[in-house]
Amino acid sequence: MVFKEKQSFWSWWMVILIVFLLLATLNYEWNDIKDGNFKELSVNPGFWIIAVIIIIFSFIKLKTTINSEGIMIHFFPFLLKSKFIPWSEVAQVSVKDYNPISDYGGWGYRIGRKGKAYNTKGSHGLQLIFKSGSSLLIGTQKKGELNTIISKVNQEILNREYE
């Protein structure tokens, strides 16, 4: 029983937005570009800001591994070390749909009105309720596969029925 998922913030609409923003920061004349004269092409400071954002977003990855021992989360740069959560600390576990903005205030490493969340995109997640009473939501793009694993976890490890 092993579940692995690796996510990033990148999506098709974000790539289009970034390309548009990069092009908007270039200083050029269409006639020069059309004639193949790239000597007059220059960039403004906004180009460098967007370039840094691209670099930062390229390094952000949410990696989740679930096995019979527990859950391993790696969310660089928000979690500098991987975080292991043994099943012995978990009171309840389920897969749920949520609203990232209203429930947690957006995406990334979030602390919202419904607890802590690690998410990159989408609106599906693994909801953990700990024996201490705190909660954690880990975003997923593999809802169906995660449902299968969590059903096994609830039956075989936590000895509970799963919806």
Side-chain angles (χ1 to χ4, degrees):
M1 174 177 64
V2 175
F3 171 86
K4 290 185 178 188
E5 182 175 20
K6 185 161 91 170
Q7 302 175 65
S8 71
F9 278 108
W10 294 112
S11 59
W12 65 269
W13 64 266
M14 187 177 239
V15 171
I16 291 171
L17 177 65
I18 293 290
V19 168
F20 176 76
L21 290 173
L22 279 174
L23 290 174
T25 63
L26 297 175
N27 298 320
Y28 58 88
E29 292 290 329
W30 276 111
N31 289 333
D32 289 337
I33 300 294
K34 189 170 63 177
D35 295 338
N37 180 8
F38 295 100
K39 291 180 182 175
E40 299 297 320
L41 183 66
S42 65
V43 297
N44 64 39
F47 176 88
W48 300 111
I49 293 169
I50 294 169
V52 167
I53 290 170
I54 290 170
I55 291 168
I56 290 170
F57 271 69
S58 296
F59 283 102
I60 298 175
K61 301 269 188 288
L62 173 59
K63 297 176 187 174
T64 309
T65 304
I66 300 173
N67 61 30
S68 60
E69 304 298 316
I71 302 168
M72 179 70 73
I73 308 163
H74 184 79
F75 197 14
F76 185 80
F78 304 109
L79 295 174
L80 296 178
K81 295 191 311 185
S82 295
K83 180 177 186 172
F84 179 72
I85 303 168
W87 291 121
S88 60
E89 294 179 8
V90 177
Q92 294 178 348
V93 61
S94 61
V95 179
K96 69 176 253 180
D97 294 335
Y98 68 101
N99 185 317
I101 295 172
S102 67
D103 293 346
Y104 297 98
W107 295 269
Y109 174 75
R110 311 301 295 185
I111 299 175
R113 62 182 183 86
K114 293 197 174 184
K116 195 182 292 185
Y118 305 137
N119 57 18
T120 59
K121 57 187 167 191
S123 60
H124 310 296
L126 176 65
Q127 180 70 64
L128 301 172
I129 308 292
F130 297 102
K131 291 179 179 175
S132 66
S134 63
S135 67
L136 173 66
L137 181 116
I138 305 165
T140 186
Q141 302 301 303
K142 297 180 176 182
K143 182 181 177 182
E145 189 178 332
L146 187 59
N147 258 322
T148 302
I149 292 294
I150 294 308
S151 177
K152 289 179 183 178
V153 166
N154 273 309
Q155 291 170 0
E156 297 173 14
I157 297 171
L158 300 177
N159 299 318
R160 294 193 182 92
E161 287 297 318
Y162 185 65
E163 299 107 36

